[in-house]
Amino acid sequence: KNLVENAQLLAKATRAAATELGLELFAPKSPAASVTAVKAPPGMDSSVIVKEFRNRFGSVIANGQGSMKGQIFRIAHLGYFDFADLFSVIAELELILAANNYPVKFGAGVAAVQNVYAEAALPHAVAV
């Protein structure tokens, strides 16, 4: 699959997962395919989320920059990044949110990613 199509599909899946987890997208009307920016839950600094990804899981996501630092976190979709990575990142996000007292139904975000993947790569699959 080419790089742009892969990034677009990963971005679609990431947006679906964030929405399923009750998180707000930073740019819902004009999202980019290269990165998804997500607002931190109310009362939570996005720096905490970024640090927990690194400290708990050795994963790297980006904080907001400038005036958005502490308010959003960004998940990239380019480079050596595929659905296996995204399954992990979203599962990690669910755990990080829960550890910081944000209500999470474990697996909800991951299921959203799986549904996007299944629709694109397994057109005859039926989820139950």
Side-chain angles (χ1 to χ4, degrees), residues 9-15 17 75-77 81-92 109-110 113-114 116:
L9 198 54
L10 290 168
K12 178 181 178 181
T14 303
R15 292 190 300 265
I75 299 172
H77 309 303
F81 191 81
D82 58 23
F83 268 93
D85 299 308
L86 188 56
F87 292 139
S88 297
V89 165
I90 298 303
E92 292 165 9
V110 174
V113 174
Q114 288 174 309
V116 170

Side-chain angles (χ1 to χ4, degrees), residues 55-66:
N55 294 340
R56 286 184 186 265
F57 303 106
S59 297
V60 177
I61 66 164
N63 205 341
Q65 294 179 312

